[in-house]
Amino acid sequence: MKKLIAGNWKMNGSLQANAALMYALLLDASDWACDVAVCVPPTYLSQVQGLVHGSRLDLGAQDVSEHEAGAFTGEVSAGMLKDFGVRYCIVGHSERRHYHQESDATVALKAQRALAAGITPIVCVGETLAQREAGLTEEVVKRQLAAVVHTNGHCISEIVLAYEPVWAIGTGKTASPQEAQQVHHVLRTQLQAASQHADRVRILYGGSMNASNAAALLAQPDIDGGLIGGAALKAPDFLSIVAAAR
Ligand code: 13P
């Protein structure tokens, strides 16, 4: 299966910085063996849509409203994202779950909205350090995925899943390739029970993935790509991860 490397810019960027980063990424695009996307803040969708037009880079968003339209001040709908050529949308990132109290049910609805608009949701799951230390990792990620499976039924094979252990995000601490593979395998098995097309779901790893640890993580049988935070903001770092995804 073709791997996917997606950058999550989080709340970073400016018109000027984005243009420079995109220029450097696009210069390299002819060498890519995997799919590549950048998930940008909503204010920059229009700018980055223009820059990726006709290229191999896909555009992504970082969140979507669980509602279709209406009186939801500040929210952005899946239809609006689609208007700007968005191909992927992260849902349920741990920062949204933590700072915005997004529940498993809300995340599942967001995935449903994205799918209905023809956008591939990148559904994030992952345990906190306390949950890992309490031996709850599998239980937590299974519960998070179960909500998305429950709401999305047979469409589940259309999602991208991302395992992002919260303790590895922005900390420089990565799950070892074996630790990550173990959880990816649990998630794969759960998907297989829900859909006969589960083997085509890409399961990305996210959490301090960088130029030096990417190859070992991506060599694991159930790791089908990466969701990259900090290292996605520097073209050479992001491009070395892309180069490791063959
Ligand atoms: P870092 O790569 O900065 O750890 O962030 C990972 C992440 O949260 C991607 O969504």
Side-chain angles (χ1 to χ4, degrees), residues 8 10 90 93 95 164 168-171 206-209 227-231:
N8 173 9
K10 307 192 180 184
I90 298 171
H93 191 280
E95 288 149 17
E164 296 207 308
I169 295 177
T171 57
S208 299
M209 199 190 253
L227 186 54
I228 319 301

Side-chain angles (χ1 to χ4, degrees), residues 53-238:
H53 184 76
S55 82
R56 294 200 40 209
L57 239 175
D58 286 314
L59 182 58
Q62 300 174 10
D63 185 31
V64 64
S65 174
E66 72 205 85
H67 304 287
E68 191 172 355
F72 300 102
T73 302
E75 294 286 284
V76 175
S77 76
M80 292 170 187
L81 297 179
K82 191 67 184 172
D83 259 353
F84 287 87
V86 164
R87 168 97 196 261
Y88 298 100
C89 180
I90 298 171
V91 300
H93 191 280
S94 60
E95 288 149 17
R96 304 277 332 162
R97 291 179 190 264
H98 179 71
Y99 297 120
H100 301 271
Q101 288 80 42
E102 284 190 11
S103 67
D104 293 341
T106 301
V107 173
L109 279 176
K110 290 183 172 204
Q112 192 176 41
R113 288 283 174 216
L115 286 167
I119 293 169
T120 302
I122 301 178
V123 177
C124 300
V125 299
E127 82 287 3
T128 62
L129 183 59
Q131 289 165 335
R132 173 160 282 260
E133 286 175 345
L136 296 172
T137 299
E138 289 192 14
E139 189 181 317
V140 169
V141 298
K142 279 168 135 175
R143 190 200 69 222
Q144 291 171 333
L145 177 56
V148 181
V149 169
H150 176 74
T151 304
N152 292 278
H154 64 274
C155 293
I156 199 67
S157 61
E158 306 302 319
I159 73 165
V160 168
L161 189 58
Y163 170 54
E164 296 207 308
V166 178
W167 48 271
I169 295 177
T171 57
K173 281 189 210 141
T174 327
S176 70
Q178 294 72 26
E179 280 170 331
Q181 166 57 27
Q182 200 178 347
V183 179
H184 281 232
H185 179 71
V186 166
L187 295 169
R188 177 84 64 204
T189 308
Q190 190 177 357
L191 286 169
Q192 280 164 342
S195 162
Q196 54 187 342
H197 303 298
D199 290 345
R200 69 171 187 233
V201 175
R202 291 186 284 196
I203 310 180
L204 315 183
Y205 169 81
S208 299
M209 199 190 253
N210 59 38
S212 42
N213 61 30
L217 285 159
L218 293 166
Q220 297 300 312
D222 290 302
I223 301 187
D224 310 309
L227 186 54
I228 319 301
L233 299 172
K234 295 180 218 115
D237 293 16
F238 190 62

